[in-house]
Amino acid sequence: MLRLPALLLLLSLGSVCCPPGVLSGLPLGSRRGPPGRAQPPRAALYQTRYFPQKIDHFGFDQDLTFQQRYLVADQHWRKNNGSILFYTGNEGDITWFCNNTDSKHLNYLTSEQALADFAILIQHLKETIPGALNAPVIAIGGSYGGMLAAWFRMKYPHVVVGALAASAPIWQFEDLVPCGTFYTIVTNDFKKSGQRCSESILNSWGAINRVSSTDEGLKWLSSAFHLCSPLKSKQDVAVLKAWLSETWVNLAMVNYPYKADFLQPLPAWPIQVVCKFLKNPKLPDKLLLQNVFQAANVYYNYSGAASCLNTSQSATRNLGLMGWYYQACTEMVMPMCTDGVNDMFEPRKWNFHVFSEECFKLWKVKPRPSWIPSVYGGKNISSHSNIIFSNGGLDPWSGGGVTRNITDSLTAIVIPEGAHHLDLRASNPSDPKSVLQARALEVQYMKQWIEKYRHKH
Amino acid sequence: MLRLPALLLLLSLGSVCCPPGVLSGLPLGSRRGPPGRAQPPRAALYQTRYFPQKIDHFGFDQDLTFQQRYLVADQHWRKNNGSILFYTGNEGDITWFCNNTDSKHLNYLTSEQALADFAILIQHLKETIPGALNAPVIAIGGSYGGMLAAWFRMKYPHVVVGALAASAPIWQFEDLVPCGTFYTIVTNDFKKSGQRCSESILNSWGAINRVSSTDEGLKWLSSAFHLCSPLKSKQDVAVLKAWLSETWVNLAMVNYPYKADFLQPLPAWPIQVVCKFLKNPKLPDKLLLQNVFQAANVYYNYSGAASCLNTSQSATRNLGLMGWYYQACTEMVMPMCTDGVNDMFEPRKWNFHVFSEECFKLWKVKPRPSWIPSVYGGKNISSHSNIIFSNGGLDPWSGGGVTRNITDSLTAIVIPEGAHHLDLRASNPSDPKSVLQARALEVQYMKQWIEKYRHKH
């Protein structure tokens, strides 16, 4: 987390129910994406507070409120002349959500409501925290929270003087970027991390298909992958493949230069470790698949504690992700596709129709794929100002991010050696130079925004 | 209506149900305000079209649509290199509304939904009208429509290159301007239009109170004012006074320099005509009130056709205004007050509590007075660009308008001799020089926006 000399750090935890910062990789059966926060807040450093927030900012029928949870870290707060960093959160307590999981309540789980929550909360805080009334506020967020940070500055420039949108794929919508970009970047990460590594994964799909075509093969696969539930049908095999795809995607997102425990406990540069098992794509099917198991095991069992692997573990339907599933089925429609040529995955086209029908079955809602570009401007955002878009070159989400300067005050930072919002993580001796430079530049921009604000007031 | 050399004029008629462009003068019992359009469109010059619009842009529970009516005037449209003027309308067909007048449907009658309607409609038009895809669009509106035009540019700068917000009281909220400003301007209009005119009106309230204190006096008043329904109670007298107050307010809004038929058929400079009857504030009560009747009769019976005057005529509960009443009770809370010292009205404080209770009785909704400043920025709008705020010096709504430049590209134009959005009306030989200059300046700004847009594309 970035720190400015005198700051009040506010972490706001989502809207209505608190969608984790995950993004859809739906076409491969995976909806799990990047978590939104670099590190869990340490209890001692943060106070937890609640604010009664309108359930619906945009209608008056519903006058109900919910208790929005937020965290305040004021140990660096300077009453006179302080600044506020407002973290546009993407995780949180889903108890309320869990108890109210029908689409009537989900109806208010939108980015627009979240931004309105932020605006009202900040106003409340400025009015109630001594010295905060005229303090400049900067929005910071990563992943979905990064999108919210950018959109917040666009729609509420009177509330925040600027925004740091880290690994925020605001262009992963409609045809703003090619649907294959995401999985191409994942593939490149594997290409760079070990000779013939991506080729091995590309070949593994055919191997799975061939081996799983007999009952004996299904049994062998279940055992070779140490699966908790043995494979019984073609559909189970599809789930296995989706689970593997998601594993490679997640590894790309958390391909950090040091040992970390984010999605899973992992070694430094985990893809390099994975690729050590994937050097020979031409092996016979079963040998290749045994290696694939070893590779996947790096992700799921680096600690050595798992007795078997659960293919529903990562594409889990746990309630913490249900909010995002709903959002992906309404506003956050992110087209993705693979072709097996530019990427190492089985070819799958983006089929909005199928996607839409699945959404309707699940939630009785119809996705509106053009809404996000309509409301937030798509690529036509040059009239806004004071947003930093930071991207990791290794992060598949950078494909839908802003990686080139749009104007003098809508600037892009690319961290070539960075995975998913590496810049927001705590500093580490193994941090590459590029992320140190990125952080320094981010602080420099923030200082400029603050100075300009103070000059005006 | 302003014309640029090559334009496509689009008139969008409101959201969901089409609130007339009227603004609340509630504290004096009046909810009638300024109509939003200068002249009814001539059938021959406009095509009427319909577009299926989402009822709720901000939620997915409701997948219903309504047919949004809009008008297209393309006689000046130039396919290559044309520009589009988008009139952010405030009147329209209320048939649908009339048949659905419960708060469940009204829930979607908000400024945010209206802006989203505009964005989606413009996108549709640009995609379907040959040559329009890359045409710059400028929003134009007056009164509530002027507020929508300004807010549209603020929230959707990717859709419109700029906005002309005529007589748009975007600051008539919370304590952004003193609550007495509106009625002080009304009073000044009367002061300027005839000696002792405002004093006569000020004294009339006491005269009414005294005369109406007896049954005989009530009868006399009913007859002197040619009322269609005789006064029977104190409450009827309160209605009479509110009706008179509203009459003076409406006259201030339509105090145009030429004969016009806007709210009512009226002579040029109608307040001067009214004030001819109000030269002696010291007359005995009944003589003063006979003069007040003559004065009001200018407004209600300039044509001579009315056989009696109806005090429910102007504060009418006709369905065309119900939409605005609802909006005034939800988002558009405009505090107003009088003191009888700086204005010529009976003193009345702004009492939000009473207002809120009335709203709850009427619609089962609670107004949110701070929402509009929270969502649209209040006075803190300097980071936006390309908005012209034009104001009439005679228009009471100018009190809540932007009358000074905020930045180089958020500019104010004041037309000292102008009433409510005189600049949007058709040109007239009696137009004061100031409105001609204002229109020229508005066109100049628009040309700059268009040039800058073309330069970029």
Side-chain angles (χ1 to χ4, degrees), chain A residues 54 56-63 103-104 107 110 112-113 116 119-120 123 153-159 326 330-331 364-368 370-371 373-377 380 382-384 456, chain B residues 54 56-63 103-104 107 110 112-113 116 119-120 123 153-159 326 330-331 364-368 370-371 373-377 380 382-384 456:
Chain A
K54 295 276 178 214
D56 184 9
H57 293 285
F58 302 107
F60 292 77
D61 237 23
Q62 277 272 20
D63 198 43
S103 74
K104 223 180 192 172
N107 193 46
T110 64
E112 293 85 354
Q113 299 277 6
I120 301 291
Q123 194 172 323
R153 169 63 189 170
M154 292 180 195
K155 296 294 187 184
Y156 296 82
H158 53 288
V159 179
Y326 177 81
T330 49
E331 290 187 317
K364 299 264 174 285
V365 294
K366 284 181 189 165
R368 297 179 195 160
S370 64
W371 171 242
S374 291
V375 71
Y376 298 119
N380 189 0
S382 62
S383 65
H384 300 288
K456 256 206 276 180
Chain B
K54 295 277 178 213
D56 185 10
H57 293 286
F58 304 107
F60 291 77
D61 236 24
Q62 277 273 20
D63 199 43
S103 73
K104 225 181 190 170
N107 193 46
T110 64
E112 293 85 356
Q113 299 277 5
I120 301 291
Q123 195 172 322
R153 168 65 188 170
M154 292 181 196
K155 296 293 187 184
Y156 295 83
H158 53 288
V159 179
Y326 178 81
T330 49
E331 291 187 318
K364 300 267 174 282
V365 294
K366 284 181 190 166
R368 297 178 194 161
S370 63
W371 171 244
S374 291
V375 72
Y376 297 119
N380 191 359
S382 61
S383 64
H384 301 289
K456 256 205 280 181

Side-chain angles (χ1 to χ4, degrees), chain B residues 102-419:
Chain B
D102 68 62
S103 73
K104 225 181 190 170
H105 294 86
L106 284 171
N107 193 46
Y108 308 111
L109 176 53
T110 64
S111 60
E112 293 85 356
Q113 299 277 5
L115 300 186
D117 288 346
F118 295 156
I120 301 291
L121 176 60
I122 289 173
Q123 195 172 322
H124 165 77
L125 295 170
K126 292 184 94 168
E127 283 165 3
T128 53
I129 295 174
L133 194 60
N134 294 309
V137 183
I138 292 172
I140 299 184
S143 193
Y144 173 57
M147 291 156 69
L148 291 178
W151 294 336
F152 192 40
R153 168 65 188 170
M154 292 181 196
K155 296 293 187 184
Y156 295 83
H158 53 288
V159 179
V160 284
V161 299
L164 168 56
S167 299
I170 61 165
W171 289 343
Q172 191 70 50
F173 294 92
E174 274 196 310
D175 54 359
L176 297 178
V177 297
C179 60
T181 306
F182 183 92
Y183 286 97
T184 302
I185 297 172
V186 175
T187 303
N188 288 340
D189 288 355
F190 282 78
K191 270 189 189 153
K192 279 185 259 179
S193 301
Q195 261 199 330
R196 314 202 76 180
C197 186
S198 68
E199 216 182 322
S200 300
I201 291 173
L202 179 63
N203 288 353
S204 73
W205 312 116
I208 292 174
N209 292 342
R210 283 183 296 272
V211 168
S212 69
S213 65
T214 66
D215 284 352
E216 182 274 330
L218 279 176
K219 264 185 209 164
W220 181 89
L221 259 181
S222 308
S223 154
F225 274 86
H226 294 64
L227 298 182
C228 304
S229 313
L231 304 169
K232 286 184 179 161
S233 64
K234 268 201 171 170
Q235 210 184 320
D236 289 352
V237 176
V239 169
L240 172 71
K241 288 192 289 185
W243 173 80
L244 280 171
S245 294
E246 196 180 341
T247 307
W248 314 137
V249 165
N250 286 354
L251 279 162
M253 283 194 283
V254 298
N255 195 23
Y256 294 125
Y258 45 79
K259 210 175 146 169
D261 181 359
F262 193 19
L263 298 176
Q264 297 279 349
L266 285 174
W269 297 118
I271 299 185
Q272 288 183 13
V273 179
V274 161
C275 284
K276 282 185 185 150
F277 298 98
L278 300 169
K279 290 178 173 172
N280 189 351
K282 301 292 181 193
L283 286 175
D285 286 349
K286 290 191 174 173
L287 289 177
L288 178 64
L289 293 177
Q290 277 171 338
N291 286 346
V292 166
F293 163 72
Q294 295 293 338
N297 206 38
V298 170
Y299 184 74
Y300 290 106
N301 199 19
Y302 182 61
S303 67
S307 62
C308 63
L309 299 189
N310 186 345
T311 56
S312 66
Q313 183 193 333
S314 119
T316 177
R317 300 248 155 200
N318 80 57
L319 278 163
L321 290 178
M322 290 306 261
W324 181 256
Y325 294 172
Y326 178 81
Q327 289 190 272
C329 274
T330 49
E331 291 187 318
M332 302 297 156
V333 184
M334 297 178 157
M336 296 213 180
C337 61
T338 50
D339 61 10
V341 178
N342 296 297
D343 57 62
M344 61 185 191
F345 297 91
E346 283 191 297
R348 187 178 295 212
K349 290 196 173 135
W350 168 246
N351 187 329
F352 174 71
H353 183 70
V354 167
F355 175 81
S356 180
E357 290 196 336
E358 193 191 343
C359 288
F360 195 76
K361 261 189 238 160
L362 275 168
W363 308 103
K364 300 267 174 282
V365 294
K366 284 181 190 166
R368 297 178 194 161
S370 63
W371 171 244
I372 290 289
S374 291
V375 72
Y376 297 119
K379 294 215 166 172
N380 191 359
I381 54 175
S382 61
S383 64
H384 301 289
S385 62
N386 295 4
I387 306 175
I388 309 163
F389 296 96
S390 67
N391 295 276
L394 306 178
D395 178 18
W397 294 110
S398 68
V402 180
T403 51
R404 287 183 189 192
N405 290 358
I406 294 175
T407 66
D408 283 356
S409 73
L410 287 187
T411 50
I413 296 177
V414 176
I415 305 156
E417 298 86 359

Side-chain angles (χ1 to χ4, degrees), chain A residues 150-456:
Chain A
W151 293 336
F152 192 40
R153 169 63 189 170
M154 292 180 195
K155 296 294 187 184
Y156 296 82
H158 53 288
V159 179
V160 284
V161 299
L164 168 56
S167 297
I170 62 165
W171 289 342
Q172 192 68 53
F173 295 92
E174 275 195 310
D175 55 359
L176 297 179
V177 298
C179 61
T181 306
F182 183 93
Y183 287 96
T184 303
I185 298 172
V186 175
T187 303
N188 288 341
D189 288 354
F190 282 78
K191 270 189 190 153
K192 278 185 261 179
S193 302
Q195 263 200 330
R196 314 201 73 178
C197 186
S198 68
E199 217 181 319
S200 300
I201 291 174
L202 179 63
N203 288 353
S204 72
W205 313 116
I208 292 175
N209 292 342
R210 285 184 294 273
V211 169
S212 68
S213 64
T214 66
D215 283 350
E216 182 275 332
L218 278 178
K219 263 185 211 165
W220 182 89
L221 257 183
S222 307
S223 155
F225 274 86
H226 294 65
L227 298 182
C228 304
S229 314
L231 304 168
K232 289 184 175 157
S233 64
K234 267 203 172 171
Q235 210 185 321
D236 289 352
V237 176
V239 169
L240 172 72
K241 290 191 288 185
W243 172 81
L244 279 171
S245 294
E246 196 181 340
T247 307
W248 314 137
V249 165
N250 285 353
L251 278 162
M253 284 195 281
V254 298
N255 195 24
Y256 294 125
Y258 44 80
K259 208 173 147 170
D261 181 359
F262 193 18
L263 297 176
Q264 297 276 353
L266 285 174
W269 296 119
I271 298 185
Q272 288 184 13
V273 179
V274 161
C275 284
K276 283 186 185 148
F277 299 98
L278 300 169
K279 290 177 172 173
N280 189 351
K282 301 290 181 198
L283 286 174
D285 287 348
K286 288 191 176 175
L287 288 178
L288 178 64
L289 292 177
Q290 277 169 337
N291 286 345
V292 166
F293 163 72
Q294 296 292 338
N297 207 37
V298 171
Y299 184 73
Y300 290 106
N301 200 18
Y302 183 61
S303 66
S307 63
C308 62
L309 298 188
N310 187 345
T311 56
S312 66
Q313 184 194 332
S314 119
T316 176
R317 300 248 157 202
N318 81 56
L319 279 163
L321 290 178
M322 290 305 262
W324 182 256
Y325 293 173
Y326 177 81
Q327 288 189 272
C329 274
T330 49
E331 290 187 317
M332 302 296 155
V333 184
M334 298 178 155
M336 296 215 180
C337 60
T338 51
D339 62 10
V341 178
N342 296 298
D343 55 62
M344 61 187 191
F345 297 91
E346 284 191 297
R348 186 178 295 211
K349 288 196 174 140
W350 167 246
N351 187 328
F352 175 71
H353 184 68
V354 167
F355 176 81
S356 179
E357 288 196 337
E358 193 190 342
C359 288
F360 195 75
K361 262 189 236 159
L362 276 168
W363 307 102
K364 299 264 174 285
V365 294
K366 284 181 189 165
R368 297 179 195 160
S370 64
W371 171 242
I372 290 289
S374 291
V375 71
Y376 298 119
K379 294 216 166 174
N380 189 0
I381 54 175
S382 62
S383 65
H384 300 288
S385 62
N386 295 4
I387 306 175
I388 309 163
F389 296 96
S390 67
N391 295 277
L394 305 178
D395 179 18
W397 294 110
S398 67
V402 179
T403 52
R404 285 181 190 194
N405 289 358
I406 294 174
T407 65
D408 283 355
S409 73
L410 288 187
T411 51
I413 296 176
V414 176
I415 304 157
E417 297 88 358
H420 201 47
H421 51 57
L422 177 62
D423 47 336
L424 291 195
R425 294 180 63 83
S427 71
N428 186 292
S430 302
D431 272 336
K433 217 178 182 178
S434 60
V435 77
L436 302 181
Q437 288 168 335
R439 287 179 189 142
L441 194 53
E442 288 162 4
V443 170
Q444 195 183 310
Y445 279 118
M446 290 184 191
K447 284 183 173 170
Q448 283 172 14
W449 301 338
I450 291 169
E451 259 167 52
K452 210 174 160 190
Y453 172 86
R454 292 210 196 288
H455 187 75
K456 256 206 276 180

